[in-house]
């Protein structure tokens, strides 16, 4: 009887694992980065170096931003006439207008901070002891 109980427990654990694996395969990545990668068209010609990977959408920036923020709530966001800037823990999602739609730039916060600071300023919640820091002389003193 003890072997039978362990067999039933083993089968149940295997079934739960299979359901989780199927969910992960069907719904893709579980991050803002994965959401953008799965939903929008890759546009490597619009990349900014190796740091910012570009994707495109035929929708305007406000609509793309709504889709992304409905799926993944950003830690901070900044919106102005130049675009929509979303900050997550490790990544930024920057949505800029194109003549017909939007370009969506995915970038790690370590390179996004210096790139967009002049636009968003403290709009992304930086400057109050955040984890992203410069590395110039006297830093950390």
């Amino acid at each position: 009887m003890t072997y039978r109980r362990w067999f039933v427990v083993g089968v149940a654990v295997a079934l739960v694992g299979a359901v989780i694996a199927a969910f992960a395969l069907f719904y893709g990545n579980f991050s803002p980065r994965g959401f953008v990668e799965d939903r929008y068209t890759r546009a490597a010609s619009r990349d900014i170096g190796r740091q910012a990977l570009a994707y495109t959408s035929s929708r305007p920036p406000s609509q793309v931003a709504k889709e992304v923020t409905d799926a993944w709530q950003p830690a901070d966001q900044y919106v102005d006439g130049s675009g929509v800037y979303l900050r997550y823990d490790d990544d930024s999602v920057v949505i800029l207008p194109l003549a017909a739609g939007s370009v969506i730039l995915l970038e790690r916060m370590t390179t996004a901070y210096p790139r967009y600071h002049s636009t968003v300023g403290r709009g992304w919640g930086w400057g109050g002891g955040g984890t992203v820091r410069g590395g110039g002389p006297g830093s950390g003193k």
Side-chain angles (χ1 to χ4, degrees), residues 67-123:
E67 293 169 356
V68 174
T69 58
D70 283 352
W72 292 95
Q73 188 64 38
D76 283 303
Q77 68 180 19
Y78 180 82
V79 180
D80 70 4
S82 68
V84 179
Y85 302 81
L86 306 174
R87 181 179 68 85
Y88 294 91
D89 289 339
D90 297 322
D91 293 313
S92 71
V93 177
V94 175
I95 307 156
L96 305 173
L98 289 176
S102 304
V103 63
I104 303 115
L105 297 165
L106 290 178
E107 187 169 5
R108 296 281 177 213
M109 287 306 300
T110 54
T111 57
Y113 173 76
R115 185 182 316 277
Y116 300 113
H117 184 266
S118 65
T119 301
V120 301
R122 294 187 183 261

Side-chain angles (χ1 to χ4, degrees), residues 4-7 10-11 30-31 34 36 38 41 48-49 57 59 61 72 74 81 85-86 94 96 100 122 129 135 140:
R4 179 180 238 173
R5 187 177 325 160
W6 282 112
F7 178 77
V11 168
F30 296 103
S31 69
V36 170
D38 291 345
T41 305
I48 302 173
S57 171
R59 296 173 192 89
W72 292 95
Y85 302 81
L86 306 174
V94 175
L96 305 173
R122 294 187 183 261

Side-chain angles (χ1 to χ4, degrees), residues 120-139:
V120 301
R122 294 187 183 261
W124 267 354
W126 292 325
T131 58
V132 179
R133 297 179 44 110
S139 66

